[in-house]
Amino acid sequence: MKVKISLSVNGKSYERMVEPRTLLVHFLREELAMTGTHVGCDTSSCGACTVLLDDKALKSCTMLACQAEGHQVTTIEGMANGDNLHPLQQAFHEEHGLQCGFCTPGMIMNAADLLSNNANPTEHEIREALEGNFCRCTGYHNIIKSIQNAAAKMSAATV
Amino acid sequence: MICDFRPIQNSAFKIQNLFFEKAELQFSNILNQKKNFKFKNMVPSKVNYHRPSNIGEALELMSKFGDECKILAGGHSLIPVMKLRLADPENLIDIAGIADMKKISDNEKSITIGACATHADIARNEAIQKHAPMVAKAAGMIGDVQVRNFGTIGGSIAHADPAADWPAVLLAADANITIKNAGGSRTVDIDQFFKGLFMTAVEEGEILASISIPKTEFNANSTYVKMPQPASRFALVGCAVAVGGGMARVAFNGVCSTPFRDTNVEKAVVGGSSAADAATSVADGMDVMSDHFASAKYRKSMAAVYAKRALGEVM
Amino acid sequence: MTFIGKSIKRVEDKRFITGQGKYTDDIVLPQMTYARFVRSPHAHAEIRSVDISNAEKMPGVVKIFTGADVAEINGVPCGWQVDFINGETMKEPKHPLLVKDKAMHAGDAVAMVIAETYGQAKDAAEMIIVDYNPLPAVTDAKAAMEEGAPQVHPDVPGNLAFDWELGNAKDEVDAAIENAHHVTTLEFINNRVVPNAIEPRSAIGHFDTSNDKYTLYTSTQNPHLVRLLLCAFVLGIPEHKVRVVGPDVGGGFGSKIFHYTEEAMVIWGSNQIKRPIKWTAERSESFLTDAHGRDHRTKAQMAFDKDGKVLALKAHTYANMGAYLSTFAPAVPTYLHGTLLQGLYTTPLIHVHVNAVFTNTNAVDAYRGAGRPEATYLLERLMDTAALEMNMDPAELRFKNFIPKFNGVEEPGYQTQVALQYDSGDYHPVLKRALEMVGYENFRAEQKAALDSGKLLGIGFSTYIEACGIAPSAVVGALGARAGLFESAQVRVQPTGKVSVYSGSHSHGQGHETTFAQIVADRFGIPLEDVDIVHGDSDAVAFGMGTYGSRSLAVGGSAIVKSIDKVIEKGTKIAAHLLEASEEDLEFAEGKWTVKGTDKSVSFGDVSLTSYVPHNYPEGLEPGLDFSSFYDPANFTYPFGAHVAIVEVEKETGKTTLKRFIAVDDVGNVINPMIVDGQIHGGLAQGIGQALCEGTIYDDSGQLVNGSYMDYVMPRADDLPQFEIDRTVTPCPHNPLGVKGAGEAGCIGSTPAVVNAVMDALSPYGIYDVQMPITSEKIWNILNDDSGETEE
């Protein structure tokens, strides 16, 4: 039996009928055709599916779409403001924080959560914050630099 | 004999009411025996979804569906096993929207944590940090950022997973669990709550409502340490200690198939032993788990090392 | 305007950081169906029956195929033939698209369920009843060769796929070892690892009934090779009616080189049902079916004279092939491993012997480095162990044995004892630089001080060489490759002077769209944004051998340069005509042809336009400015480097912490330093992972016990330090860019450095050889057990 859900994704309201078993990540990818959020595992481990739910990082493979009823979801597609990249997106580009790009949306979304709680994290804090996100390409080295770069940019912008 | 300890799958077996010898806890073998089970999956089986607006409604739904329903709070324990199709409840009752159940209240003699409070809420709660630092510390060590943001304390302990971080902490904290049912509510002492591997005192038709942490001297002087299993980061060894007011409570996760308080160690601490001396007897005579991440011998030794470290912090 | 050598930010980033990347699973076609494979839960089992009757009645089911339906179709072939020492052809049992009578490993596909949705396909797959008769299984290569071991394939006695040897006469090597001052012997397992690209494999098959044309979208590192194997060897369908697209691919590390059965099934199936079929692996499926890496069981001996000069090396390896021979599998333990055992050293006598063995496990094939990490591990563990045994400094021991500098221009390359001729090398500076970065002079004192305060610090070295840029076709053909290993590139100058480049290399993270564009923009003297790199589509690109073996720049880049040269040559003719000058009087620089010594010039854009609007044009010259080239390299390239790890081992728990990692690599000339650094970083993490945490675990029944991210340990951000890297530059003498390749270096050098560092930390307790992955418990056992095995 399908149920009706209404939620906001990247600032836009959607109302859809879904099977209750639909995971949020599948809702985003298949129902809304937002394929920037990726699925890299089946055990809630890899973090490639990370989105923000009410500004908090969430593995969207570990929530049913209907649980997101009434909440605000932000995906990688919602990070840029028109042509203006989010500082994290800009920083990943500048610091070569991505290679194949598959883990990147999850990394950026998780980093957004980190920087909203801790504007100036240490390298150690960044590494700990990324413990729920796998990258197999970069050895994390440039991801760390990217997040440091974004933190500096965002701090400068708020001063 | 390999005893493969896999928290997610194992909790699935509990949800499936699969009974097994713990020494034979071999995931693949069990799956092979399970009729019609083919492979791990990413899409859960079909299910109906219900969102009660208060706990009364939730209890009504539960009595209507009997054993054909599961409570869904954050979903971070249940959904992983549903994805693997190791759990396939017909009805889900989502209680995350019930505002009362998320509250953390700082009372005169205790702190009451609603079952739907997230690990992250608990980790940053100032009253908890002050009156029961091990509770806040453990909350901050569960899973990863994403899991802490949405996983709930109630969902976690309802699974009574021995490798989860909560059981040892709540045992050490002398917590009380409030359970609601159609007839009202009842309170269970934490020592009576965990009934065995993946079994708790919560009966069919009941909802785990809140956890109460007494404001005691020992809770005010407490800590939690863990050696994580390197892949899942569940506790290979987790040790919670609370020492004060002439009391010592020392409890472990991950070491044996159920979380336990080690009264030998507690007695040694109360009797004036040093942290190092008190820790030498950890898990003596107990049936320590063994798997490909740690043999029983290593696990037991690490339990002693971590107990020594934890006691060192509070003694 | 120069771009070569600059850290240009990647042009491909924009789509990935905004969520616009297009991976195979992101593609949705009209009328698409979804597939789920039913896989054997047993490592070895007779299949008595497959009952699909209940499954067929499930909602949404379109079609179910079983082994019986595809029994007449060829299996997926092996692309490399290595024959037995006695000359017999290697054993190559059929790898069927779906197994019918017997499952050879856990994960072998038994049936394919196609339904309207993925959920429905899964629901139906659960209703298929397969009656298995489980058989005893064998997962270890050495055990599989023992008397009475389970037989994987009935027609492969003793499970031996082939045996192979290389090097000097065995009795000469034996005699040298017999008479040596010192012999270091190690027996070790190079642990089996799972590639774990974060994008799971995915494939979409589409048969277009309007023109009888097939399209395969697949997460592959080499679309053309997949097309060739699919058409010519598996399905027998016409190659010109098949298009293979490798869209954005989320990492490969080798595992996406190979042609897999699922690709053939979605293509064949789409013609049966006349609708597109999508299949995407779940992570647990990836663990069981993506070709694994390594899995060598080796005994090696290195003989020294009293001064520490290496006199001889002997190695024997059991190489686990898994249940079937994957695309490149036979080459990995042989031509990519045995041929590298010269290392950086002047060892005069070398003999290597390999047994390649079938087991009831998933196939093993090339994984980042492929054979070269195994060779490096063998050599570099021996070196550091020998240094400990002989009480010599491990760095000094290496300096003593390095091959002297050669540039391959003034003198020929260095001829090894194991077939290869190194192109150019200068080995002392990389180790010197690494020692400087470490602060080696002070390290031993720090180590001593740490020990006195109860801390175990260790330093480990690894100086490696690799053979990249595979490869000269004639050479690899002689060695058994069933394909050429050249590369193609087409440079199409558009009328407006914009340039489209069609490359047979495939980028899945390596940044080709930037690096290749840098070369083109640089050579033509045009803006970077005027160049577009097209890759990964067999309909767009003439041909390609794909990306692996650190070959894209050395081979694919060189093919681009050949086409660029042809464009400039023709452009010079057109420019000469326009400038009314002779070709010899023109020079081409900064995007224009100038008459030497004058200010008379014509721009690249003008020449381009003229070539397509040839109103005023040289007589007899064809219009257009569009050239294809095939580049077949003259030799492999030989990058090298020195890696140093510093670890701290915690006594109480045995936990190893990687404190520092220093890598000095020489990958030849560098086009984009930022991208090269990134390649090194990623390789280091994978190599360190193999040393410290990764590795499959099989139980006695042949089950992969740790086939999920809850069980298989991969490095996470908080397991690694920031890396300290630098490089030297020894250009490759035989390709036009002077480049050697950087994709695998990090993964090749790092593993033994880490293990050596741990062994160094433990050296106050004795000299040990601990098998990877070096878990805390293994170390703790040594530190807490007086009877620990000491390596003599």
Side-chain angles (χ1 to χ4, degrees), chain C residues 187-209:
Chain C
E187 281 189 65
F188 59 84
I189 297 167
N190 200 296
N191 43 332
R192 175 189 283 237
V193 292
V194 182
N196 273 316
I198 305 297
E199 180 210 18
R201 283 193 298 119
S202 180
I204 301 170
H206 178 210
F207 179 72
D208 184 344
T209 51

Side-chain angles (χ1 to χ4, degrees), chain C residues 358-370:
Chain C
F358 289 114
T359 61
N360 294 113
T361 61
N362 180 40
V364 179
D365 204 328
Y367 165 66
R368 202 168 197 170

Side-chain angles (χ1 to χ4, degrees), chain A residues 3-124:
Chain A
V3 293
K4 191 175 86 178
I5 61 164
S6 50
L7 73 172
S8 149
V9 179
N10 299 330
K12 195 177 158 195
S13 297
Y14 293 88
E15 215 174 80
R16 289 285 191 284
M17 296 297 290
V18 298
E19 269 193 77
R21 66 168 163 173
T22 308
L23 297 171
L24 179 58
V25 66
H26 291 145
F27 176 79
L28 294 169
R29 289 179 57 80
E30 289 157 23
E31 196 66 43
L32 304 186
M34 293 184 187
T35 56
T37 304
H38 299 146
V39 177
C41 78
D42 43 18
T43 49
S44 307
S45 310
C46 78
C49 66
T50 303
V51 300
L52 300 180
L53 187 92
D54 301 336
D55 297 326
K56 288 189 288 189
L58 163 76
K59 290 182 174 175
S60 62
C61 74
T62 313
M63 182 175 273
L64 301 172
C66 42
Q67 287 177 277
E69 160 80 26
H71 291 279
Q72 298 192 1
V73 177
T74 309
T75 71
I76 188 70
E77 288 93 342
M79 289 298 275
N81 181 6
D83 284 341
N84 294 326
L85 294 176
H86 185 279
L88 272 162
Q89 293 171 312
Q90 188 64 33
F92 270 70
H93 174 58
E94 286 172 10
E95 301 289 351
H96 189 29
L98 65 148
Q99 289 181 28
C100 81
F102 197 79
C103 78
T104 311
M107 287 287 178
I108 289 178
M109 301 318 285
N110 195 19
D113 177 303
L114 169 67
L115 296 184
S116 70
N117 292 311
N118 182 354
N120 189 20
T122 62
E123 181 197 326
H124 180 71

Side-chain angles (χ1 to χ4, degrees), chain B residues 250-262:
Chain B
V250 178
F252 294 90
N253 306 307
V255 180
C256 298
S257 60
T258 48
F260 67 98
R261 273 176 62 195
D262 194 319

Side-chain angles (χ1 to χ4, degrees), chain C residues 25-79:
Chain C
D25 190 56
D26 298 340
I27 295 167
V28 178
L29 301 177
Q31 289 289 301
M32 193 159 79
T33 62
Y34 297 82
R36 170 76 176 165
F37 287 91
V38 174
R39 297 182 185 276
S40 170
H42 303 287
H44 195 195
E46 184 192 330
I47 298 168
R48 292 190 181 122
S49 64
V50 182
D51 180 357
I52 61 170
S53 54
N54 291 330
E56 281 180 316
K57 293 177 207 140
M58 291 288 286
V61 170
V62 175
K63 185 72 192 171
I64 298 173
F65 295 113
T66 67
D69 297 309
V70 296
E72 300 303 312
I73 300 174
N74 290 334
V76 292
C78 177

Side-chain angles (χ1 to χ4, degrees), chain C residues 88-136:
Chain C
E88 277 180 43
T89 306
M90 73 176 183
K91 304 290 185 188
E92 191 180 351
K94 180 177 177 179
H95 184 181
L97 302 190
L98 297 171
V99 292
K100 180 168 156 278
D101 302 317
K102 204 170 120 170
M104 304 296 185
H105 69 93
D108 226 352
V110 175
M112 180 200 209
V113 180
I114 303 161
E116 299 291 344
T117 71
Y118 194 40
Q120 287 171 334
K122 288 159 146 325
D123 292 343
E126 292 200 349
M127 300 305 289
I128 291 180
I129 298 161
V130 184
D131 183 10
Y132 295 102
N133 175 33
L135 302 169

Side-chain angles (χ1 to χ4, degrees), chain C residues 505-727:
Chain C
S505 299
H506 182 279
S507 182
H508 31 279
Q510 297 89 342
H512 294 170
E513 291 166 42
T514 307
T515 304
F516 288 173
Q518 284 178 252
I519 297 167
V520 176
D522 206 84
R523 296 261 167 152
F524 285 150
I526 58 177
L528 198 70
E529 51 271 25
D530 284 3
V531 184
D532 189 42
I533 307 295
V534 178
H535 65 93
D537 183 342
S538 70
D539 264 12
V541 178
F543 200 76
M545 292 308 301
T547 288
Y548 40 83
S550 306
R551 68 192 303 273
S552 288
L553 195 54
V555 190
S558 295
I560 292 173
V561 171
K562 273 186 82 172
S563 289
I564 290 171
D565 290 346
K566 291 177 188 173
V567 167
I568 294 172
E569 192 186 328
K570 183 171 178 181
T572 305
K573 289 189 169 64
I574 299 166
H577 179 83
L578 293 175
L579 291 166
E580 297 176 341
S582 77
E583 289 173 45
E584 298 75 54
D585 290 340
L586 298 188
E587 58 186 5
F588 179 66
E590 291 181 12
K592 60 188 179 194
W593 283 267
T594 308
V595 181
K596 286 176 201 161
T598 75
D599 57 359
K600 274 179 67 182
S601 70
V602 59
S603 73
F604 185 74
D606 287 340
V607 168
S608 309
L609 190 62
T610 304
S611 75
Y612 288 93
V613 189
H615 296 166
N616 174 18
Y617 206 63
E619 204 169 316
L621 194 67
E622 281 179 28
L625 204 50
D626 185 349
F627 286 97
S628 286
S629 303
F630 286 74
Y631 177 80
D632 201 347
N635 191 357
F636 292 88
T637 62
Y638 298 90
F640 56 89
H643 290 185
V644 184
I646 294 179
V647 302
E648 183 175 337
V649 173
E650 188 178 71
K651 279 186 188 171
E652 270 188 330
T653 60
K655 183 177 160 54
T656 298
T657 304
L658 182 63
K659 307 289 282 184
R660 292 177 68 192
F661 199 96
I662 292 93
V664 180
D665 300 281
D666 191 319
V667 299
N669 288 341
V670 171
I671 307 296
N672 185 320
M674 175 192 81
I675 288 177
V676 168
D677 290 352
Q679 290 294 307
I680 300 291
H681 295 153
L684 293 177
Q686 280 175 315
I688 292 163
Q690 186 187 9
L692 290 179
C693 58
E694 296 188 39
T696 58
I697 301 169
Y698 286 95
D699 70 9
D700 292 342
S701 68
Q703 294 291 335
L704 178 60
V705 175
N706 57 345
S708 86
Y709 284 156
M710 297 297 285
D711 300 289
Y712 185 92
V713 190
M714 276 203 315
R716 303 191 202 219
D718 56 357
D719 294 320
L720 298 169
Q722 289 297 84
F723 305 118
E724 301 164 58
I725 65 177
D726 199 359
R727 65 175 69 85

